[in-house]
Amino acid sequence: MDYATTQFGQLVTITVMSVALGMDAFSLSVGIGMKGVRRFDIARISGLIAIFHILMPLLGMFTGLYVGHLLGAIARYVSGGLLVLLGAHMVWASFREEGARPIDHTRLWGVVLFALSVSVDSFSVGVSLGMFRSSLLLTVLTFGFFGGLMSVVGLWLGSRVGRNLGDYGEALGGAILLAFGLMFIF
């Protein structure tokens, strides 16, 4: 029973973190969706975001395993600190007045840069999760699924709703990561 409880807790934690990281993709996708996107664009952008949300945490987890091995007992505090910093940065960035530079979602290079930019946070979270030795396959597939799903929802809603929705989504995602970081530290 204890093993099942631990596995369920890990699944819930990874799912909530995946949604929190997907909020970044969601918030920026709302802005792109406001420019108007076709179904093909939604599939292409979301597919690339899902791929990068798999690759970046995968690289981060391998890095985290190595760093966790080097740091030993203090890895928990370092990984929690990384989540706190990342969450605080996401909250702060969501309320800055500067607008993000728009990308050309009709060109492959623009979509690749966009997908990479919304997936960089996944690398940092992957480092933290690697130090905790969480399930590799479960983590990267969940991150990819929610990254892609949140971008589909953001692109679709962006074509129908205002930009403020995206700002609040990124702030919420940052607050969730900040809370997990504090939970890991304390």
Side-chain angles (χ1 to χ4, degrees):
M1 179 72 174
D2 187 38
Y3 178 75
T5 304
T6 302
Q7 293 301 314
F8 180 73
Q10 185 180 40
L11 176 64
V12 169
T13 300
I14 289 170
T15 301
V16 172
M17 284 184 167
S18 298
V19 171
L21 287 171
M23 290 293 198
D24 194 24
F26 169 81
S27 66
L28 294 174
S29 294
V30 168
I32 291 173
M34 289 176 63
K35 293 194 278 183
V37 290
R38 301 172 300 162
R39 286 186 180 147
F40 174 75
D41 292 331
I42 291 174
R44 184 174 56 146
I45 293 167
S46 300
L48 274 172
I49 288 172
I51 289 169
F52 275 98
H53 266 78
I54 289 172
L55 293 176
M56 295 303 281
L58 184 63
L59 292 171
M61 288 181 78
F62 286 134
T63 303
L65 283 170
Y66 178 71
V67 171
H69 178 72
L70 291 177
L71 295 178
I74 64 167
R76 171 183 171 187
Y77 301 108
V78 172
S79 63
L82 280 172
L83 289 176
V84 166
L85 291 173
L86 180 60
H89 179 270
M90 283 177 68
V91 170
W92 176 73
S94 70
F95 293 111
R96 282 195 330 226
E97 293 298 319
E98 312 171 0
R101 288 182 47 211
I103 65 147
D104 184 1
H105 68 278
T106 61
R107 303 222 183 257
L108 180 61
W109 185 245
V111 175
V112 168
L113 288 176
F114 174 67
L116 179 62
S117 72
V118 298
S119 301
V120 168
D121 297 345
S122 298
F123 176 82
S124 301
V125 173
V127 170
S128 293
L129 292 174
M131 286 188 224
F132 280 113
R133 301 183 190 276
S134 67
S135 170
L136 181 76
L137 186 62
L138 173 69
T139 300
V140 297
L141 291 179
T142 305
F143 278 30
F145 174 77
F146 281 104
L149 178 66
M150 299 295 284
S151 63
V152 167
V153 172
L155 290 164
W156 182 78
L157 281 176
S159 62
R160 290 159 177 74
V161 190
R163 185 175 296 274
N164 289 339
L165 180 65
D167 293 339
Y168 293 123
E170 186 175 5
L172 177 62
I176 291 170
L177 290 178
L178 189 113
F180 272 112
L182 291 173
M183 183 179 77
F184 289 161
I185 291 172
F186 300 109

